[in-house]
Amino acid sequence: MAFVSGRRLAQLLGIVALGALAAGCTTTKPTTDAKGAKLGYAAEPKETGTTGFFSSHSFSGLAGRSVTVNSIADLRLRNHEVVLTFDDGPMPGRTENILKVLDNAGVKATFMIVGQMARSYPALVREVAAHGHTIGTHTQSHANLAHMSAAGAQAQIDGGIKSVSAALVPSMHGVAPFFRFPYLASTATLRRELAARGIVVIDADIDSKDYFPSSPDQVRKRTMARIEQRGSGIILMHDIHPRTAQMLPQLLADLKAKGYKVVRLVPGHRSRELLVSSLTTGTVTTPEQTALAYSNR
């Protein structure tokens, strides 16, 4: 049996984890093959990166205000304001392209990270944070919490928080108390419990459906049409699909041309921070202990 390096093993584990995520945060039935297995990258275009997308675009003035979020009530956007969110990553060769586009446009996004992916690619989690983006969580393994027991759902939520926390420990960054339900499938009970813990649920107003086997331009046009219909909103995208990075520069150019502003979400001082960079393995094991440690710093 051939020897597999630790780095290669991490990559393989990430790909396995990604297979469970490939359908994206949709409530529709994922594409399957003849044997019923999920198709991770059905009809994905050939990866071309983002080279050449930037030269014709000027993004001056696209960046808008920062919104401090302590509760769902703070998630109020003005007309022609949007929030960029990316779920399910990080993924090497994919997330970096998204970061390049956002850097070029001078805007910030919120990344809702899956715990398994954070465990496989912790350095990439830290890279996202180092670029100034807000990091929230998206469960440990992208499970549908609405179909789980209360204990199972809490384990998924806490597992995701703990894994992303571990990835960020070596850095000076922490995770915002922001959470998104996989498949956007929630329950009233889970929402109440999250609110009681100071965790803000980040819902989505505009689903790009970039997990569908569409061309980058189809994703862009579909997303822009929905934005224009609503006039503002939180946009759901995924940093695990090449088509998303490929269409993103033109989507941002469209937003700029139509007078939209990209709003940055940041956690408020009154939020109970679940993760802090000074924590080390073994000192804190639960979100409640983390919150207590943060309050005693």
Side-chain angles (χ1 to χ4, degrees):
M1 182 174 179
F3 174 74
V4 179
S5 69
R7 182 174 181 177
R8 180 56 180 160
L9 180 59
Q11 291 175 335
L12 292 173
L13 289 172
I15 292 171
V16 170
L18 186 60
L21 309 180
C25 298
T26 175
T27 55
T28 60
K29 184 178 180 181
T31 306
T32 58
D33 64 12
K35 296 181 181 180
K38 291 182 179 179
L39 298 178
Y41 295 104
E44 281 284 359
K46 182 179 179 181
E47 288 194 55
T48 58
T50 56
T51 302
F53 277 98
F54 304 139
S55 58
S56 62
H57 299 315
S58 172
F59 296 108
S60 176
L62 180 59
R65 64 194 176 108
S66 292
V67 173
T68 300
V69 179
N70 289 296
S71 70
I72 291 178
D74 296 320
L75 293 171
R76 292 194 179 97
L77 297 178
R78 302 165 185 164
N79 187 40
H80 275 62
E81 286 187 336
V82 296
V83 173
L84 308 177
T85 66
F86 296 91
D87 287 11
D88 294 0
M91 184 65 182
R94 311 287 172 86
T95 302
E96 297 96 327
N97 287 335
I98 296 290
L99 295 177
K100 290 176 185 176
V101 176
L102 297 175
D103 280 352
N104 185 73
V107 296
K108 303 301 181 184
T110 298
F111 287 75
M112 311 305 288
I113 292 179
V114 171
Q116 285 183 349
M117 303 303 282
R119 284 195 174 191
S120 295
Y121 310 111
L124 193 48
V125 177
R126 294 192 290 273
E127 184 176 349
V128 173
H131 281 254
H133 303 293
T134 300
I135 292 181
T137 58
H138 197 42
T139 72
Q140 176 63 12
S141 63
H142 205 271
N144 188 328
L145 303 189
H147 295 167
M148 300 182 71
S149 67
Q154 289 297 339
Q156 275 286 325
I157 293 168
D158 291 346
I161 291 170
K162 192 171 182 179
S163 292
V164 180
S165 172
L168 284 170
V169 162
S171 74
M172 296 300 293
H173 305 281
V175 171
F178 297 165
F179 177 80
R180 175 170 283 156
F181 285 95
Y183 311 102
L184 302 179
S186 66
T187 69
T189 298
L190 285 173
R191 283 178 175 270
R192 285 194 298 269
E193 291 174 352
L194 287 168
R197 293 171 58 183
I199 301 174
V200 181
V201 175
I202 307 296
D203 290 310
D205 304 310
I206 299 154
D207 188 349
S208 69
K209 299 187 185 296
D210 56 354
Y211 42 81
F212 283 173
S214 308
S215 71
D217 201 50
Q218 287 173 327
V219 176
R220 177 186 65 83
K221 289 179 178 178
R222 179 168 58 230
T223 305
M224 198 65 211
R226 181 60 174 153
I227 294 169
E228 288 282 79
Q229 183 182 36
R230 284 189 53 89
S232 66
I234 299 173
I235 306 171
L236 166 61
M237 295 174 282
H238 300 79
D239 56 322
I240 62 174
H241 300 305
R243 61 173 68 93
T244 307
Q246 291 171 15
M247 72 87 188
L248 188 58
Q250 187 58 54
L251 176 68
L252 295 177
D254 291 347
L255 290 170
K256 173 66 168 57
K258 293 181 179 295
Y260 285 85
K261 297 286 188 180
V262 174
V263 169
R264 180 188 185 191
L265 301 183
V266 295
H269 296 299
R270 291 185 292 110
S271 297
R272 283 200 305 163
E273 295 219 5
L274 305 180
L275 311 168
V276 290
S277 60
S278 61
L279 299 180
T280 57
T281 303
T283 58
V284 176
T285 57
T286 69
E288 289 77 11
Q289 288 173 305
T290 305
L292 179 60
Y294 179 79
S295 66
N296 290 335
R297 285 197 303 173

